[in-house]
Amino acid sequence: MDQRAWQALLPTAGSDPELDEALLRHTYRLDEAGHSELHAAGRRAAAALGLEMPIEYYQGEGSAAPNARLFHQAAKAVILFEGPLLERLDAGELAAICGHELAHRLLWTLEDGAYLAVDRLLDAAAGDARTPGQYLETHRRWVMASELFADRGALVACGDLSTTVRALLKTQTGLATVDPEAYLRQADELDLSTGSRGTSHPEGVARAWALKNWLADEDVEILLTGPLDVDSPDLLDAELLRELSTDFAAHIAHTEGLRTDAVATYAAGFADPPGPLGVPGGVITRFDEPLAVRPVDGAPIPRPRSLTPATKQYLCYLLLDLATADPETGDAGLIASMGVARKAGLTPYDDLADDELGWSDKRRAELAAAAEALL
């Protein structure tokens, strides 16, 4: 990106006069003289997060649902409360809420504002109807990751898991009295292996689960990614799927019974850019087990990923396409492909090939027996 375009995504020095005027016209400013407990909680949160800047607090007008949000400015932090939230929070919960909002500021000031620039870039892309789905999914996961980061800021600010979850519950439900321990037990009952289905925030129960597991030093990345899904990849998953397709195509093209020029030419189309495929090394990947994912340069090694049924079906079609790419391979190619499917743990392959090629029961049984003999 051009340096000037990148800088345009960053906040300018000083305040935002239009925002300042809107706040003065349409909110109630919570000065320290009348709201000393709130200001003390904000200072506690800022100190815990290592932030030093003026903080202004405002209460929105009307009867909006309980909420708090940060307006980011270079010279100061502005936190707007909405609905009856403030009257339901004790001092620790106030620190948690302020910590959550100020953690957004912490994130957006790291790396000279790089995270803020990416946030604004993805947000602008999400508002454009022409934006491809991979960018929209990247934006969805980005904003959810930002919220989980901010939740950790809430926990750091108040120093207590129960207090943090209590503040979260009061914000989300509007209740004045909640039981955080019961909510954490509820979170343990939920299967989160498929990831969060949230759009801007993970589900509250998932956020509570993430906080608990973060304290236990467990990986919570599953909330953001879920299984590898060919139908809804983000930008990183799209790259992973390209690599996976290339590697699998190379294995297939070098399998005895499918090792022909026509199959190799077809398989080469899965490379990016298209070109001759090298001989793959090692044992073929099993897709019925969590997939070991290669990390992006400089990133930690990510957790293994399971595959959705749609992704396994895609790999089955890839295998069938190569198995039928060269008519001269005949039954030998089909039998070899069924052997590959068994080695790769692609159990739907026989049914898919049967549906597409219209085998009789007798022919399917013969091909399956020959494939088992290969193993």
Side-chain angles (χ1 to χ4, degrees):
M1 178 182 288
D2 180 85
Q3 184 66 25
R4 289 175 297 178
W6 179 264
Q7 288 297 323
L9 295 170
L10 303 177
T12 57
S15 61
D16 182 341
E18 292 184 3
L19 173 62
D20 290 342
E21 181 178 355
L23 289 169
L24 290 173
R25 284 183 179 274
H26 303 293
T27 71
Y28 163 58
R29 185 167 59 200
L30 301 162
D31 289 335
E32 184 166 10
H35 303 276
S36 57
E37 186 179 47
L38 171 59
H39 283 257
R43 285 192 293 270
R44 173 183 170 186
L49 296 172
L51 292 172
E52 295 182 7
M53 75 278 138
I55 309 174
E56 294 180 359
Y57 306 91
Y58 295 85
Q59 173 65 42
E61 298 175 349
S63 57
N67 193 30
R69 52 180 169 150
L70 175 77
F71 290 101
H72 183 63
Q73 299 189 54
K76 63 183 178 182
V78 175
I79 299 177
L80 174 68
F81 293 91
E82 297 174 300
L85 180 61
L86 280 176
E87 63 190 38
R88 298 177 183 176
L89 302 175
D90 63 25
E93 294 159 4
L94 275 173
I97 294 297
C98 291
H100 177 101
E101 300 308 323
L102 292 177
H104 283 297
R105 179 181 181 87
L106 174 63
L107 177 63
W108 292 338
T109 54
L110 292 174
E111 304 292 340
D112 296 324
Y115 291 99
L116 175 61
V118 172
D119 187 89
R120 290 182 170 179
L121 184 63
L122 288 173
D123 194 53
D128 190 330
R130 299 167 296 179
T131 299
Q134 294 171 11
Y135 288 84
L136 296 177
E137 179 63 13
T138 301
H139 175 260
R140 186 185 77 90
R141 297 186 191 184
W142 173 270
V143 294
M144 289 201 302
S146 299
E147 291 303 322
L148 292 181
F149 180 91
D151 283 345
R152 293 183 179 187
L155 180 54
V156 169
C158 75
D160 180 71
L161 176 61
S162 292
T163 302
T164 307
V165 175
R166 199 164 60 243
L168 171 65
L169 274 171
K170 288 183 177 181
T171 304
Q172 292 200 320
T173 66
L175 294 172
T177 303
V178 294
D179 185 347
E181 280 68 31
Y183 199 52
L184 289 169
R185 291 193 297 272
Q186 178 180 331
D188 288 334
E189 296 177 19
L190 186 63
D191 179 12
L192 296 169
S193 62
T194 58
S196 172
R197 299 172 187 175
T199 53
S200 62
H201 293 64
E203 300 86 342
V205 70
R207 294 168 66 182
W209 177 89
L211 285 167
K212 179 181 177 181
N213 282 272
W214 178 52
L215 284 178
D217 199 27
E218 297 290 338
D219 188 1
V220 299
E221 183 188 354
I222 188 173
L223 286 181
L224 303 177
T225 60
L228 183 62
D229 189 355
V230 71
D231 287 338
S232 58
D234 68 353
L235 291 170
L236 295 178
D237 280 359
E239 178 61 27
L240 172 60
L241 286 165
R242 282 191 290 269
E243 293 180 359
L244 182 62
S245 301
T246 300
D247 291 347
F248 191 39
H251 271 287
I252 297 167
H254 289 92
T255 298
E256 187 65 36
L258 291 168
R259 198 179 298 133
T260 71
D261 290 341
V263 174
T265 299
Y266 196 97
F270 288 94
D272 186 21
L277 297 171
V279 179
V283 180
I284 191 170
T285 299
R286 288 196 62 86
F287 301 117
D288 57 347
E289 300 173 355
L291 186 68
V293 180
R294 288 193 292 270
V296 178
D297 290 345
I301 296 176
R303 65 173 181 82
R305 302 277 297 281
S306 58
L307 307 184
T308 64
T311 304
K312 293 179 182 179
Q313 184 183 56
Y314 158 73
L315 293 168
C316 287
Y317 272 112
L318 189 160
L319 176 57
L320 183 62
D321 285 349
L322 291 181
T324 56
D326 187 349
E328 294 186 4
T329 61
D331 284 357
L334 292 174
I335 293 167
S337 72
M338 295 171 76
V340 169
R342 284 155 174 73
K343 291 178 182 177
L346 290 174
T347 53
Y349 179 73
D350 285 12
D351 288 339
L352 183 146
D354 191 352
D355 290 342
E356 294 293 329
L357 301 179
W359 294 333
S360 66
D361 290 345
K362 178 181 178 181
R363 176 163 170 74
R364 173 171 174 165
E366 292 173 346
L367 292 172
E372 294 292 342
L374 278 180
L375 300 179

